[in-house]
Amino acid sequence: MTKYMDYTSPDVQFSYDVNKSTLFKKDHQNLINILGVGQLNTLDQTSLLDIYLSKHNFVEPHYHQNAAELVYCISGAATVSILNPFTKEIQNYSISPGQVANIPQGWWHYEEATKDRTHLLAIFNAPTPEVILGSDILKLTPSSVMAKNYCMNEGAWIKTTEKVKPGTYIGPSCLEPERYPPARTTQLNYSPYHYQYQPNPYYYRQCIPKTF
């Protein structure tokens, strides 16, 4: 134990129903439940996301600035993709029940379900999994900054990204409404946005997809 807690207090929690703590729900087949110290106060340096996906749905590109992530496949199958900042390669790992993929802290990554009824457990070495989402980076960075830095037409950038919604979490977010109902709810049990620049020893190399 690395933190103080009065284990004689009536407020101490030793169990919790993760199904009651929904972080994000796209529809009944695609949702993410969360367990952190905010839900179970005896947790120390451990937290998790309980992820359900149907085929071809993604946990959108993102990174965790405060923790490494171990993705364990309970059912179905998924591809976990990681941008290795040292080799400048996209590394793709296919996992099925009983298999894992490990993502170092701060690395850009995403997951795609390759079967229906995919169930993943993402385990973190932090009391709360913080996240910076690709959809937030795309929409919250001023369009003028993107245009100036990457020599783009600002109007074209605005048009291209107009369908991107901050806090997407699970994509695609623009499929036919008869299959994916438009109703979406987001319940944030913690503040996931801690924008802190952490320089990495990147060196320039072409980003080449690599499949394992």
Side-chain angles (χ1 to χ4, degrees), residues 29-177:
Q29 294 181 333
N30 297 276
L31 58 97
I32 303 173
N33 297 323
I34 185 173
L35 179 71
V37 71
Q39 290 76 39
L40 184 61
N41 61 20
T42 53
L43 287 178
D44 193 353
Q45 294 299 313
T46 305
S47 54
L48 61 84
L49 296 177
D50 194 28
I51 303 167
Y52 296 85
L53 299 170
S54 56
K55 189 175 181 179
H56 298 317
N57 275 260
F58 284 77
V59 177
E60 69 161 308
H62 63 283
Y63 67 90
H64 304 285
Q65 67 271 42
N66 72 324
E69 176 182 357
L70 182 66
V71 182
Y72 176 81
C73 183
I74 297 172
S75 62
T79 299
V80 180
S81 299
I82 307 168
L83 173 57
N84 186 320
F86 299 97
T87 66
K88 295 293 185 178
E89 293 176 325
I90 293 289
Q91 300 173 189
N92 302 305
Y93 298 93
S94 297
I95 58 174
S96 54
Q99 298 179 330
V100 301
N102 191 45
I103 303 155
Q105 180 176 340
W107 286 28
W108 187 251
H109 64 283
Y110 47 93
E111 295 91 14
E112 180 186 9
T114 53
K115 290 184 178 180
D116 283 327
R117 295 181 292 278
T118 290
H119 186 189
L120 305 174
L121 191 65
I123 305 165
F124 302 89
N125 59 342
T128 298
E130 298 172 354
V131 66
I132 295 180
L133 301 171
S135 56
D136 289 346
I137 291 174
L138 290 173
K139 293 301 285 190
L140 302 180
T141 303
S143 58
S144 60
V145 172
M146 300 299 288
K148 290 177 181 177
N149 274 275
Y150 305 113
C151 304
M152 297 183 296
N153 178 281
E154 184 176 358
W157 170 258
I158 293 172
K159 180 66 175 178
T160 299
T161 59
E162 66 180 355
K163 291 186 178 181
V164 179
K165 297 179 181 179
T168 294
Y169 281 96
I170 297 177
S173 59
C174 54
L175 297 185
E176 63 274 14

